[in-house]
Structure formats: structure tokens, C-alpha cells
Amino acid sequence: MLKPNKRGISSYRELDLVAIPGGEVEIGSTLDEVQACIAIWQDRLVDPAYRPAFGDWIRKEYPRHRVRIAAFHIGRFPVTNQDYIDFAATTGHPIPESIVIGSPARHPVWGVDYDDALAYALWLGDEMGIHCRLPSEAEWECAARGPDHAEYPFGNSFDPARCNTMEGGVGTTTPVDHYPQGASGYGVLDMGGNVEEWTSSFYLPYPGGDRIDDDISSAVGARYRTLRGGSFALGGDLARSARRHGPHPAPQFRYRGFRVVVA
């Protein structure tokens, strides 16, 4: 854990970081994994209207490929409402919707756009005297998959009791430590469900894959930052470690938060 060493942050918690080893890691999905996902989830989607486009969404994960990453530390939890209140109080940054509606302090902040998330990370780094930023897609997926390269942060089978997605029926956010049994193999919590999480990466096809233009690119343009992890308002298919999403403007997709990386 890191403690404030500059002006002092009255945050609900210390900055709890998990060490992720560097090296060559695999991200994305093979064609067999893409087809298996489509077969498993096609008839389980929370909205049947998603079915025609679902295959294209999953094909964004193809192909599985190797990337080299440096060792880094990632937040064990997403940034909470209380964390963000400290930031807003210090900087005068606008208050996001989760805080406006009175979501509890230990729940993840949401209603945050990419620039808000980046501003928080830079502020936190300055406050604590460290280099703080948002995770790349590869870093996020590596932390979610764990050393065993799991399909979901908590294993290779979906379990609605281990994450906060629509299948669990909670219908709102939960405390960031509410699902300890949902931790990734590295011990990172809340990477499946609760709120979607910003990464620093723009959507691009993986090497050897095709660019997928879909409802997201139609709504926000071809260049957008990727989101990972799904939310309480979305289905378990988005809780998969490899699943790539984007900032769709529809109301059910507004539950966007983030976690930080120190490297």
C-alpha cells in the first residue's frame, strides 16, 4: 500500500496496489474462443436486440496474440466515490452522477468520462509523488486474466454470484470489496461487473484482425477509448477478461468508472 506523502489525501482508503509481473503475455481470443463465446452467450444476452451484432462485437477480440508489457502496479479496487470526492474538493472538478445521486462512499464512482479519469490519475500521482496513469488494454486484460489466463477474472465459467452483472439482479453498484470470491488470479477485485472501466487504449483491430465498425463507432466515431469489465446494468458476456467495449451513449452504458496504474 502507498500512503499520501505530499499534501495528504483524506481518502476512504490508502492506495492499495497489486503487483503485476512484466513479460510477454497473451491477450485477445482465438477463433475457437470467439466461436465458443458466441455459442454460449448468443441466447443468453440480456437484450435480444443485441443478437444480430453480437458476433461482430466478439470478433473484436480476434486474434489472440502476444504482447510485451513492463511490470506495473494496478489498483486492487476501482476508484470509489469517496476517492473522487477528495479529488473534486481539491481541484474543483465537476461532480459525477454517482456522487450527485448519493451513491455510497465505498461504491465505485461512475458517470466519469475519459478526460475525468485521466485528470484524477494525474492529480493522484502529483499528490502522492508517484507516476500514476490509466491502464492500457493489455495491462487491464493481463491483470484480469491472472497467471492462469482465465476467461473471467474469477475463472473459466461465468458465475453471477461472483460479480455484479445484470444476471445477479442487484440492479445498482455494490461496494468495491463486495465480491472477494470474484478476485482475479493476481488478487485484483471488481474487474467483472459493477462499473465499466476506462483504459488508455484507442480501439484498433488486433494484429491480423479486421476492424469492426459497429453501433459504437456509428454513435461516437471511429476513434474511441476502450472500456473493459462490464457493469451491473449489462450482461455477463461483458465481464469476460477479453471483452472489448466502448463509450456507447445509450443510458444503460453510462456506468463508467476506472482504476489506476502506477508504473
Coordinates of all heavy atoms in Angstrom, one line a residue, residues 40-135:
I40 N -22.1 -19.8 -26.5 CA -22.5 -19.7 -25.1 C -23.5 -18.6 -24.8 O -24.5 -18.8 -24.1 CB -21.3 -19.7 -24.1 CG1 -20.5 -21.0 -24.2 CG2 -21.7 -19.3 -22.7 CD1 -19.1 -20.9 -23.5
W41 N -23.2 -17.4 -25.3 CA -23.9 -16.2 -24.9 C -25.0 -15.8 -25.9 O -25.8 -15.0 -25.5 CB -22.9 -15.1 -24.7 CG -22.2 -15.2 -23.4 CD1 -20.9 -15.6 -23.2 CD2 -22.7 -14.9 -22.1 NE1 -20.6 -15.6 -21.9 CE2 -21.7 -15.1 -21.2 CE3 -23.9 -14.4 -21.7 CZ2 -21.8 -14.9 -19.8 CZ3 -24.1 -14.2 -20.3 CH2 -23.1 -14.5 -19.4
Q42 N -25.0 -16.2 -27.1 CA -25.9 -15.7 -28.1 C -27.4 -15.7 -27.6 O -28.1 -14.8 -27.9 CB -25.8 -16.5 -29.4 CG -26.7 -16.0 -30.5 CD -26.1 -14.8 -31.2 OE1 -24.9 -14.6 -31.3 NE2 -26.9 -13.9 -31.8
D43 N -27.8 -16.8 -26.9 CA -29.2 -16.9 -26.5 C -29.3 -16.5 -25.0 O -30.4 -16.7 -24.5 CB -29.7 -18.3 -26.7 CG -29.7 -18.7 -28.2 OD1 -30.1 -17.8 -29.0 OD2 -29.4 -19.8 -28.5
R44 N -28.3 -16.0 -24.4 CA -28.4 -15.6 -23.0 C -28.2 -14.0 -22.8 O -28.1 -13.6 -21.7 CB -27.3 -16.3 -22.2 CG -27.4 -17.8 -22.2 CD -26.1 -18.4 -21.6 NE -25.9 -18.0 -20.2 CZ -24.8 -18.4 -19.5 NH1 -23.8 -19.0 -20.1 NH2 -24.6 -18.0 -18.3
L45 N -28.2 -13.3 -23.9 CA -28.0 -11.9 -23.9 C -29.1 -11.2 -23.1 O -30.3 -11.7 -23.3 CB -27.8 -11.3 -25.3 CG -26.6 -11.8 -26.1 CD1 -26.6 -11.3 -27.5 CD2 -25.3 -11.5 -25.4
V46 N -28.9 -10.2 -22.4 CA -29.9 -9.6 -21.6 C -30.9 -8.8 -22.4 O -32.0 -8.5 -22.0 CB -29.3 -8.6 -20.5 CG1 -28.5 -9.4 -19.5 CG2 -28.5 -7.5 -21.2
D47 N -30.6 -8.5 -23.7 CA -31.5 -7.9 -24.6 C -31.4 -8.6 -25.9 O -30.3 -8.6 -26.6 CB -31.1 -6.4 -24.8 CG -32.1 -5.6 -25.6 OD1 -32.9 -6.3 -26.4 OD2 -32.1 -4.4 -25.5
P48 N -32.5 -9.3 -26.4 CA -32.4 -10.0 -27.7 C -32.0 -9.1 -28.9 O -31.6 -9.6 -29.9 CB -33.9 -10.5 -27.8 CG -34.4 -10.6 -26.4 CD -33.8 -9.4 -25.7
A49 N -32.3 -7.8 -28.7 CA -31.9 -6.9 -29.8 C -30.4 -6.9 -30.1 O -29.9 -6.4 -31.1 CB -32.4 -5.5 -29.5
Y50 N -29.6 -7.3 -29.1 CA -28.1 -7.4 -29.3 C -27.7 -8.5 -30.2 O -26.5 -8.5 -30.7 CB -27.4 -7.5 -27.9 CG -27.6 -6.4 -26.9 CD1 -27.5 -6.6 -25.6 CD2 -28.0 -5.1 -27.3 CE1 -27.7 -5.6 -24.6 CE2 -28.1 -4.1 -26.4 CZ -28.0 -4.4 -25.1 OH -28.2 -3.3 -24.2
R51 N -28.5 -9.5 -30.4 CA -28.1 -10.7 -31.1 C -27.5 -10.5 -32.5 O -26.4 -11.1 -32.8 CB -29.2 -11.7 -31.2 CG -29.6 -12.3 -29.8 CD -30.8 -13.2 -29.9 NE -31.2 -13.7 -28.6 CZ -32.4 -14.2 -28.3 NH1 -33.3 -14.4 -29.3 NH2 -32.7 -14.6 -27.1
P52 N -28.1 -9.7 -33.4 CA -27.6 -9.5 -34.7 C -26.1 -9.0 -34.7 O -25.3 -9.4 -35.6 CB -28.5 -8.6 -35.4 CG -29.8 -8.7 -34.7 CD -29.4 -9.0 -33.2
A53 N -25.8 -8.1 -33.8 CA -24.4 -7.5 -33.8 C -23.5 -8.3 -32.9 O -22.2 -8.0 -32.9 CB -24.5 -6.1 -33.3
F54 N -23.9 -9.2 -32.1 CA -23.1 -9.8 -31.1 C -21.8 -10.5 -31.6 O -20.7 -10.3 -31.1 CB -23.9 -10.8 -30.3 CG -23.2 -11.4 -29.1 CD1 -22.8 -10.6 -28.0 CD2 -22.8 -12.8 -29.1 CE1 -22.1 -11.1 -27.0 CE2 -22.1 -13.3 -28.0 CZ -21.7 -12.5 -26.9
G55 N -22.0 -11.2 -32.7 CA -20.8 -11.9 -33.3 C -19.7 -10.9 -33.7 O -18.5 -11.1 -33.4
D56 N -20.1 -9.8 -34.3 CA -19.1 -8.7 -34.6 C -18.4 -8.2 -33.4 O -17.2 -7.9 -33.4 CB -19.8 -7.6 -35.4 CG -20.0 -7.9 -36.8 OD1 -19.4 -8.9 -37.3 OD2 -20.8 -7.3 -37.5
W57 N -19.2 -8.0 -32.3 CA -18.6 -7.4 -31.1 C -17.5 -8.4 -30.6 O -16.4 -7.9 -30.1 CB -19.6 -7.2 -30.0 CG -20.7 -6.2 -30.3 CD1 -20.7 -5.3 -31.3 CD2 -22.0 -6.1 -29.7 NE1 -21.8 -4.5 -31.3 CE2 -22.7 -5.0 -30.3 CE3 -22.6 -6.8 -28.7 CZ2 -23.9 -4.6 -29.9 CZ3 -23.9 -6.4 -28.3 CH2 -24.5 -5.3 -28.9
I58 N -17.8 -9.7 -30.6 CA -16.8 -10.6 -30.0 C -15.6 -10.8 -31.0 O -14.5 -11.0 -30.5 CB -17.5 -12.0 -29.8 CG1 -18.7 -11.8 -28.8 CG2 -16.5 -13.0 -29.2 CD1 -18.3 -11.1 -27.5
R59 N -15.8 -10.6 -32.2 CA -14.7 -10.7 -33.2 C -13.7 -9.6 -33.0 O -12.6 -9.7 -33.6 CB -15.2 -10.8 -34.6 CG -15.7 -12.2 -35.0 CD -16.0 -12.3 -36.5 NE -17.3 -11.7 -36.8 CZ -18.5 -12.4 -36.7 NH1 -18.4 -13.7 -36.3 NH2 -19.6 -11.9 -36.9
K60 N -14.0 -8.5 -32.3 CA -13.0 -7.5 -31.9 C -11.9 -8.1 -31.1 O -10.8 -7.5 -31.1 CB -13.6 -6.4 -31.1 CG -14.6 -5.5 -31.9 CD -15.1 -4.4 -31.0 CE -15.9 -3.4 -31.7 NZ -16.5 -2.3 -30.8
E61 N -12.1 -9.2 -30.5 CA -11.1 -9.9 -29.7 C -10.1 -10.7 -30.5 O -9.1 -11.1 -29.9 CB -11.7 -10.8 -28.6 CG -12.7 -10.2 -27.7 CD -13.5 -11.2 -27.0 OE1 -13.2 -12.4 -26.9 OE2 -14.6 -10.8 -26.4
Y62 N -10.3 -10.9 -31.7 CA -9.5 -11.8 -32.5 C -8.4 -11.0 -33.2 O -8.7 -9.9 -33.7 CB -10.4 -12.5 -33.6 CG -9.6 -13.4 -34.5 CD1 -9.2 -14.7 -34.1 CD2 -9.3 -13.0 -35.8 CE1 -8.5 -15.5 -35.0 CE2 -8.6 -13.8 -36.7 CZ -8.2 -15.0 -36.3 OH -7.5 -15.8 -37.1
P63 N -7.2 -11.6 -33.4 CA -6.8 -12.9 -32.8 C -6.1 -12.8 -31.5 O -5.7 -11.7 -31.1 CB -5.8 -13.3 -33.9 CG -5.1 -12.0 -34.3 CD -6.2 -11.0 -34.3
R64 N -6.0 -13.9 -30.8 CA -5.1 -13.9 -29.6 C -3.7 -13.7 -30.1 O -3.3 -14.2 -31.1 CB -5.2 -15.3 -28.9 CG -4.4 -15.2 -27.6 CD -4.2 -16.6 -27.0 NE -5.4 -17.1 -26.4 CZ -5.4 -18.2 -25.5 NH1 -4.3 -18.8 -25.2 NH2 -6.5 -18.6 -25.0
H65 N -3.0 -12.8 -29.4 CA -1.6 -12.5 -29.8 C -0.8 -12.2 -28.5 O -1.3 -11.9 -27.5 CB -1.6 -11.3 -30.8 CG -2.2 -10.1 -30.2 ND1 -3.6 -9.9 -30.0 CD2 -1.6 -8.9 -29.8 CE1 -3.8 -8.7 -29.5 NE2 -2.6 -8.1 -29.4
R66 N 0.5 -12.2 -28.7 CA 1.4 -11.9 -27.6 C 1.9 -10.5 -27.7 O 2.2 -9.9 -28.7 CB 2.6 -12.9 -27.7 CG 2.2 -14.3 -27.6 CD 3.4 -15.3 -27.6 NE 4.1 -15.2 -26.3 CZ 3.7 -15.9 -25.2 NH1 2.6 -16.7 -25.3 NH2 4.3 -15.8 -24.1
V67 N 1.9 -9.9 -26.5 CA 2.5 -8.5 -26.3 C 3.4 -8.5 -25.1 O 3.3 -9.3 -24.2 CB 1.4 -7.5 -26.1 CG1 0.5 -7.4 -27.3 CG2 0.6 -7.7 -24.9
R68 N 4.4 -7.6 -25.2 CA 5.3 -7.5 -24.1 C 4.9 -6.3 -23.2 O 4.7 -5.2 -23.8 CB 6.8 -7.3 -24.6 CG 7.8 -7.2 -23.5 CD 9.2 -7.4 -23.9 NE 9.4 -8.8 -24.3 CZ 9.7 -9.8 -23.4 NH1 9.8 -9.5 -22.1 NH2 9.9 -11.0 -23.8
I69 N 4.8 -6.5 -21.9 CA 4.5 -5.4 -21.0 C 5.5 -5.3 -19.9 O 6.1 -6.3 -19.6 CB 3.1 -5.6 -20.4 CG1 3.0 -6.9 -19.6 CG2 2.0 -5.5 -21.4 CD1 1.7 -7.0 -18.8
A70 N 5.8 -4.1 -19.5 CA 6.6 -3.9 -18.3 C 5.9 -4.2 -17.0 O 4.6 -4.1 -17.0 CB 7.2 -2.5 -18.3
A71 N 6.6 -4.6 -16.0 CA 5.9 -4.8 -14.7 C 5.2 -3.5 -14.3 O 5.7 -2.4 -14.5 CB 7.0 -5.2 -13.7
F72 N 4.1 -3.6 -13.6 CA 3.3 -2.4 -13.1 C 2.5 -2.8 -11.9 O 2.4 -4.0 -11.5 CB 2.4 -1.9 -14.2 CG 1.3 -2.9 -14.7 CD1 0.0 -2.8 -14.1 CD2 1.6 -3.9 -15.6 CE1 -1.0 -3.6 -14.5 CE2 0.6 -4.8 -16.0 CZ -0.7 -4.7 -15.4
H73 N 2.0 -1.8 -11.3 CA 1.1 -2.0 -10.1 C -0.3 -1.4 -10.6 O -0.4 -0.4 -11.2 CB 1.6 -1.3 -8.9 CG 2.8 -1.9 -8.3 ND1 4.0 -1.7 -8.8 CD2 2.9 -2.6 -7.2 CE1 4.9 -2.4 -8.1 NE2 4.3 -2.9 -7.1
I74 N -1.3 -2.1 -10.2 CA -2.7 -1.7 -10.6 C -3.5 -1.6 -9.3 O -3.3 -2.4 -8.3 CB -3.3 -2.7 -11.6 CG1 -4.6 -2.0 -12.2 CG2 -3.6 -4.0 -11.0 CD1 -5.1 -2.8 -13.4
G75 N -4.5 -0.7 -9.2 CA -5.4 -0.6 -8.1 C -6.1 -1.9 -7.8 O -6.7 -2.5 -8.7
R76 N -6.1 -2.3 -6.6 CA -6.8 -3.6 -6.2 C -8.3 -3.4 -6.5 O -9.1 -4.3 -6.8 CB -6.6 -3.9 -4.8 CG -7.1 -5.3 -4.4 CD -6.8 -5.7 -3.0 NE -5.4 -5.6 -2.6 CZ -4.6 -6.6 -2.8 NH1 -5.0 -7.8 -3.4 NH2 -3.3 -6.5 -2.5
F77 N -8.8 -2.1 -6.3 CA -10.2 -1.8 -6.5 C -10.3 -0.6 -7.5 O -9.4 0.2 -7.7 CB -10.8 -1.3 -5.1 CG -10.6 -2.2 -4.0 CD1 -9.6 -2.0 -3.0 CD2 -11.3 -3.4 -3.9 CE1 -9.4 -2.8 -2.0 CE2 -11.1 -4.3 -2.8 CZ -10.2 -4.0 -1.8
P78 N -11.5 -0.5 -8.1 CA -11.8 0.7 -8.8 C -11.8 1.9 -7.9 O -12.0 1.8 -6.7 CB -13.2 0.5 -9.4 CG -13.5 -0.9 -9.2 CD -12.7 -1.4 -8.0
V79 N -11.6 3.1 -8.5 CA -11.7 4.4 -7.7 C -13.1 4.5 -7.2 O -14.1 4.3 -7.9 CB -11.3 5.5 -8.6 CG1 -11.6 6.9 -7.9 CG2 -9.9 5.4 -9.0
T80 N -13.2 4.8 -5.9 CA -14.5 4.9 -5.2 C -15.1 6.4 -5.3 O -14.4 7.3 -5.6 CB -14.4 4.5 -3.8 OG1 -13.6 5.4 -3.1 CG2 -13.9 3.1 -3.6
N81 N -16.3 6.5 -4.9 CA -17.0 7.8 -4.8 C -16.2 8.7 -3.8 O -16.0 9.9 -4.0 CB -18.4 7.7 -4.3 CG -19.3 7.1 -5.4 OD1 -19.3 7.6 -6.5 ND2 -20.1 6.1 -5.1
Q82 N -15.8 8.1 -2.6 CA -15.0 8.9 -1.7 C -13.7 9.4 -2.2 O -13.3 10.5 -2.0 CB -14.8 8.1 -0.4 CG -14.2 9.0 0.7 CD -14.9 10.2 1.1 OE1 -16.1 10.1 1.6 NE2 -14.4 11.4 0.9
D83 N -13.0 8.5 -2.9 CA -11.7 8.9 -3.5 C -12.0 10.1 -4.4 O -11.2 11.0 -4.5 CB -11.2 7.7 -4.4 CG -10.8 6.5 -3.6 OD1 -10.4 6.6 -2.5 OD2 -10.9 5.4 -4.2
Y84 N -13.0 10.0 -5.2 CA -13.3 11.0 -6.2 C -13.7 12.3 -5.6 O -13.4 13.4 -6.1 CB -14.3 10.6 -7.2 CG -14.2 11.2 -8.6 CD1 -13.4 10.7 -9.6 CD2 -14.9 12.4 -8.8 CE1 -13.3 11.4 -10.8 CE2 -14.8 13.1 -10.1 CZ -14.0 12.5 -11.0 OH -13.9 13.2 -12.2
I85 N -14.5 12.2 -4.5 CA -14.9 13.4 -3.7 C -13.6 14.2 -3.3 O -13.6 15.4 -3.4 CB -15.7 13.1 -2.5 CG1 -17.1 12.7 -3.0 CG2 -15.8 14.2 -1.5 CD1 -18.0 12.1 -1.9
D86 N -12.6 13.5 -2.8 CA -11.3 14.1 -2.4 C -10.7 14.9 -3.6 O -10.3 16.1 -3.4 CB -10.3 13.1 -1.9 CG -10.8 12.4 -0.6 OD1 -11.6 13.0 0.1 OD2 -10.3 11.3 -0.4
F87 N -10.7 14.3 -4.7 CA -10.2 14.9 -5.9 C -11.0 16.2 -6.3 O -10.5 17.2 -6.6 CB -10.2 13.9 -7.1 CG -10.1 14.4 -8.4 CD1 -9.0 15.1 -8.9 CD2 -11.2 14.2 -9.4 CE1 -8.9 15.6 -10.2 CE2 -11.1 14.7 -10.7 CZ -10.0 15.4 -11.1
A88 N -12.3 16.0 -6.3 CA -13.2 17.1 -6.7 C -13.1 18.3 -5.8 O -13.1 19.5 -6.1 CB -14.6 16.6 -6.9
A89 N -13.0 18.0 -4.5 CA -12.9 19.0 -3.4 C -11.6 19.8 -3.6 O -11.6 21.0 -3.4 CB -13.0 18.4 -2.1
T90 N -10.6 19.1 -3.9 CA -9.3 19.8 -4.1 C -9.1 20.6 -5.4 O -8.5 21.6 -5.4 CB -8.1 18.7 -4.0 OG1 -8.2 18.0 -2.8 CG2 -6.8 19.3 -4.1
T91 N -9.7 20.0 -6.4 CA -9.5 20.6 -7.8 C -10.6 21.4 -8.3 O -10.5 22.2 -9.3 CB -9.1 19.5 -8.8 OG1 -10.3 18.7 -8.9 CG2 -8.0 18.7 -8.3
G92 N -11.8 21.3 -7.7 CA -13.0 21.9 -8.3 C -13.5 21.2 -9.5 O -14.4 21.8 -10.2
H93 N -13.1 20.0 -9.7 CA -13.6 19.2 -10.9 C -15.1 18.9 -10.7 O -15.5 18.8 -9.6 CB -12.8 17.9 -11.0 CG -12.6 17.4 -12.4 ND1 -11.6 18.0 -13.2 CD2 -13.2 16.4 -13.1 CE1 -11.7 17.3 -14.4 NE2 -12.6 16.4 -14.3
P94 N -15.8 18.8 -11.8 CA -17.3 18.6 -11.7 C -17.6 17.3 -11.0 O -16.8 16.3 -11.1 CB -17.7 18.5 -13.2 CG -16.7 19.3 -13.9 CD -15.4 19.1 -13.2
I95 N -18.7 17.2 -10.3 CA -19.1 16.1 -9.6 C -19.8 15.1 -10.5 O -20.8 15.5 -11.2 CB -20.0 16.5 -8.4 CG1 -19.3 17.4 -7.4 CG2 -20.6 15.2 -7.7 CD1 -18.1 16.8 -6.7
P96 N -19.4 13.8 -10.6 CA -20.1 12.9 -11.5 C -21.5 12.4 -10.9 O -21.8 12.6 -9.7 CB -19.1 11.8 -11.6 CG -18.4 11.8 -10.3 CD -18.3 13.3 -9.9
E97 N -22.2 11.8 -11.8 CA -23.6 11.4 -11.4 C -23.7 10.5 -10.2 O -24.6 10.6 -9.4 CB -24.3 10.7 -12.6 CG -25.8 10.5 -12.4 CD -26.4 9.9 -13.6 OE1 -25.8 9.8 -14.7 OE2 -27.6 9.5 -13.5
S98 N -22.7 9.6 -10.1 CA -22.8 8.7 -8.9 C -22.8 9.4 -7.6 O -23.5 9.0 -6.6 CB -21.7 7.6 -9.0 OG -20.4 8.2 -8.8
I99 N -22.0 10.5 -7.5 CA -22.0 11.2 -6.3 C -23.2 12.2 -6.1 O -23.7 12.3 -5.0 CB -20.6 12.0 -6.2 CG1 -19.5 11.1 -6.2 CG2 -20.6 13.0 -5.0 CD1 -18.1 11.7 -6.4
V100 N -23.6 12.7 -7.2 CA -24.8 13.6 -7.2 C -26.0 12.8 -6.7 O -26.8 13.4 -5.9 CB -25.1 14.1 -8.6 CG1 -26.5 14.8 -8.7 CG2 -24.0 15.1 -9.1
I101 N -26.2 11.6 -7.0 CA -27.4 10.8 -6.6 C -27.2 10.2 -5.2 O -28.1 9.5 -4.7 CB -27.8 9.7 -7.6 CG1 -26.7 8.6 -7.7 CG2 -28.0 10.3 -9.0 CD1 -27.1 7.4 -8.5
G102 N -26.0 10.3 -4.6 CA -25.8 9.8 -3.3 C -25.3 8.4 -3.2 O -25.6 7.7 -2.2
S103 N -24.7 7.9 -4.2 CA -24.2 6.5 -4.1 C -23.2 6.4 -3.0 O -22.4 7.3 -2.8 CB -23.5 6.1 -5.5 OG -23.0 4.8 -5.4
P104 N -23.2 5.3 -2.2 CA -22.3 5.2 -1.0 C -20.8 5.4 -1.3 O -20.4 5.1 -2.4 CB -22.6 3.8 -0.5 CG -24.0 3.5 -1.0 CD -24.1 4.2 -2.3
A105 N -20.1 5.8 -0.3 CA -18.7 6.2 -0.4 C -17.9 5.0 -0.9 O -16.9 5.3 -1.7 CB -18.2 6.6 1.0
R106 N -18.1 3.8 -0.5 CA -17.3 2.7 -0.9 C -17.7 2.1 -2.2 O -17.0 1.1 -2.7 CB -17.3 1.6 0.2 CG -16.6 2.1 1.5 CD -16.6 1.0 2.5 NE -15.8 -0.2 2.0 CZ -15.9 -1.4 2.6 NH1 -16.7 -1.6 3.6 NH2 -15.1 -2.4 2.1
H107 N -18.7 2.6 -2.9 CA -19.1 2.1 -4.2 C -18.2 2.8 -5.3 O -17.7 3.9 -5.0 CB -20.5 2.4 -4.5 CG -21.5 1.6 -3.7 ND1 -22.6 1.1 -4.2 CD2 -21.5 1.1 -2.4 CE1 -23.3 0.4 -3.3 NE2 -22.6 0.4 -2.2
P108 N -18.0 2.2 -6.4 CA -17.2 2.8 -7.5 C -17.8 4.0 -8.0 O -19.1 4.1 -8.2 CB -17.1 1.7 -8.5 CG -18.3 0.9 -8.4 CD -18.6 0.9 -6.9
V109 N -17.0 5.0 -8.3 CA -17.5 6.2 -8.9 C -17.9 5.9 -10.4 O -17.3 5.0 -11.0 CB -16.4 7.3 -8.9 CG1 -15.3 7.0 -9.8 CG2 -17.1 8.7 -9.3
W110 N -19.0 6.5 -10.9 CA -19.4 6.3 -12.3 C -20.0 7.6 -12.8 O -20.2 8.6 -12.1 CB -20.3 5.2 -12.5 CG -21.6 5.2 -11.7 CD1 -21.9 4.6 -10.5 CD2 -22.8 5.9 -12.1 NE1 -23.2 4.9 -10.1 CE2 -23.8 5.6 -11.1 CE3 -23.2 6.6 -13.2 CZ2 -25.1 6.2 -11.1 CZ3 -24.5 7.2 -13.2 CH2 -25.4 6.9 -12.2
G111 N -20.1 7.6 -14.1 CA -20.5 8.9 -14.8 C -19.3 9.7 -15.1 O -19.4 11.0 -15.2
V112 N -18.2 9.0 -15.2 CA -16.9 9.7 -15.4 C -16.4 9.5 -16.9 O -16.4 8.3 -17.3 CB -15.8 9.1 -14.5 CG1 -14.5 9.7 -14.7 CG2 -16.3 9.3 -13.0
D113 N -16.1 10.5 -17.6 CA -15.6 10.3 -18.9 C -14.1 10.1 -18.9 O -13.5 10.2 -17.8 CB -16.0 11.5 -19.9 CG -15.4 12.8 -19.6 OD1 -14.3 12.9 -18.9 OD2 -15.9 13.9 -20.0
Y114 N -13.5 9.9 -20.1 CA -12.1 9.5 -20.1 C -11.2 10.7 -19.6 O -10.3 10.4 -18.8 CB -11.7 9.2 -21.5 CG -10.2 8.9 -21.6 CD1 -9.6 7.7 -21.2 CD2 -9.3 9.9 -22.0 CE1 -8.3 7.4 -21.3 CE2 -7.9 9.7 -22.0 CZ -7.4 8.4 -21.7 OH -6.1 8.2 -21.7
D115 N -11.5 11.9 -20.0 CA -10.7 13.0 -19.5 C -10.8 13.2 -18.0 O -9.8 13.6 -17.4 CB -11.2 14.3 -20.2 CG -10.8 14.3 -21.7 OD1 -9.9 13.5 -22.1 OD2 -11.4 15.1 -22.5
D116 N -12.0 12.9 -17.4 CA -12.1 13.0 -16.0 C -11.2 12.0 -15.3 O -10.5 12.3 -14.3 CB -13.5 12.7 -15.5 CG -14.6 13.7 -16.0 OD1 -14.2 14.9 -16.1 OD2 -15.7 13.3 -16.2
A117 N -11.2 10.7 -15.8 CA -10.4 9.6 -15.2 C -9.0 10.0 -15.3 O -8.2 9.8 -14.4 CB -10.8 8.3 -16.0
L118 N -8.5 10.5 -16.5 CA -7.1 10.8 -16.6 C -6.7 11.9 -15.7 O -5.6 11.9 -15.1 CB -6.8 11.2 -18.1 CG -5.4 11.6 -18.4 CD1 -4.4 10.4 -18.1 CD2 -5.3 12.0 -19.9
A119 N -7.6 12.9 -15.6 CA -7.3 14.1 -14.7 C -7.1 13.6 -13.2 O -6.2 14.0 -12.5 CB -8.4 15.1 -14.8
Y120 N -8.0 12.6 -12.8 CA -7.8 12.1 -11.5 C -6.5 11.4 -11.3 O -5.8 11.6 -10.3 CB -9.0 11.1 -11.2 CG -8.9 10.4 -9.9 CD1 -9.5 10.9 -8.8 CD2 -8.1 9.3 -9.7 CE1 -9.4 10.3 -7.5 CE2 -7.9 8.6 -8.5 CZ -8.6 9.2 -7.4 OH -8.5 8.6 -6.2
A121 N -6.1 10.5 -12.3 CA -4.9 9.8 -12.2 C -3.7 10.7 -12.1 O -2.8 10.5 -11.2 CB -4.7 8.8 -13.4
L122 N -3.7 11.8 -12.9 CA -2.6 12.7 -12.8 C -2.5 13.5 -11.5 O -1.5 13.7 -11.0 CB -2.7 13.7 -14.0 CG -2.5 13.1 -15.4 CD1 -2.8 14.1 -16.5 CD2 -1.2 12.4 -15.6
W123 N -3.7 13.9 -11.0 CA -3.8 14.5 -9.7 C -3.3 13.6 -8.6 O -2.5 14.1 -7.8 CB -5.2 14.9 -9.5 CG -5.5 15.4 -8.0 CD1 -5.3 16.6 -7.5 CD2 -6.1 14.6 -7.0 NE1 -5.6 16.6 -6.2 CE2 -6.1 15.4 -5.8 CE3 -6.5 13.2 -6.9 CZ2 -6.6 14.9 -4.6 CZ3 -7.0 12.8 -5.7 CH2 -7.0 13.6 -4.6
L124 N -3.7 12.4 -8.6 CA -3.3 11.5 -7.6 C -1.8 11.3 -7.6 O -1.1 11.3 -6.5 CB -4.0 10.1 -7.7 CG -3.7 9.1 -6.7 CD1 -4.2 9.5 -5.3 CD2 -4.4 7.7 -7.1
G125 N -1.2 11.1 -8.8 CA 0.2 11.0 -8.9 C 0.9 12.2 -8.3 O 1.9 12.0 -7.6
D126 N 0.4 13.4 -8.6 CA 1.0 14.6 -8.1 C 0.9 14.7 -6.6 O 1.9 15.0 -5.9 CB 0.4 15.8 -8.8 CG 1.0 17.1 -8.3 OD1 2.2 17.3 -8.5 OD2 0.3 18.0 -7.8
E127 N -0.2 14.3 -6.1 CA -0.4 14.3 -4.6 C 0.5 13.4 -3.9 O 1.0 13.7 -2.8 CB -1.9 14.0 -4.3 CG -2.9 15.0 -4.7 CD -2.9 16.2 -3.7 OE1 -2.9 16.0 -2.5 OE2 -2.8 17.4 -4.2
M128 N 0.7 12.2 -4.5 CA 1.5 11.2 -3.8 C 2.9 11.1 -4.2 O 3.7 10.3 -3.7 CB 0.8 9.8 -4.0 CG -0.7 9.8 -3.5 SD -1.5 8.2 -3.6 CE -0.7 7.4 -2.1
G129 N 3.3 11.9 -5.2 CA 4.7 11.9 -5.6 C 5.1 10.6 -6.4 O 6.2 10.1 -6.3
I130 N 4.1 10.1 -7.2 CA 4.3 8.9 -8.0 C 3.9 9.1 -9.4 O 3.2 10.1 -9.7 CB 3.6 7.7 -7.3 CG1 2.1 8.0 -7.2 CG2 4.2 7.3 -6.0 CD1 1.2 6.9 -6.7
H131 N 4.3 8.2 -10.3 CA 3.8 8.2 -11.7 C 2.5 7.4 -11.8 O 2.5 6.2 -11.7 CB 4.8 7.7 -12.6 CG 4.3 7.7 -14.1 ND1 3.9 8.9 -14.7 CD2 4.2 6.7 -15.0 CE1 3.5 8.6 -15.9 NE2 3.7 7.3 -16.1
C132 N 1.4 8.1 -11.9 CA 0.1 7.4 -11.9 C -0.6 7.7 -13.2 O -0.6 8.8 -13.7 CB -0.8 8.0 -10.7 SG -2.3 7.1 -10.4
R133 N -1.3 6.7 -13.8 CA -2.0 6.8 -15.0 C -3.1 5.8 -15.1 O -3.4 5.1 -14.1 CB -1.0 6.6 -16.2 CG -0.2 5.2 -16.1 CD 0.7 5.0 -17.3 NE 1.5 3.8 -17.2 CZ 1.1 2.6 -17.4 NH1 -0.1 2.4 -17.8 NH2 1.9 1.6 -17.3
L134 N -3.7 5.7 -16.3 CA -4.8 4.7 -16.5 C -4.1 3.4 -17.2 O -3.1 3.6 -17.9 CB -5.9 5.2 -17.4 CG -6.6 6.5 -16.9 CD1 -7.7 6.9 -17.8 CD2 -7.2 6.2 -15.5
P135 N -4.7 2.2 -17.0 CA -4.1 1.1 -17.6 C -4.4 1.0 -19.1 O -5.4 1.5 -19.6 CB -4.8 -0.1 -16.9 CG -6.2 0.5 -16.5 CD -5.9 1.9 -16.1

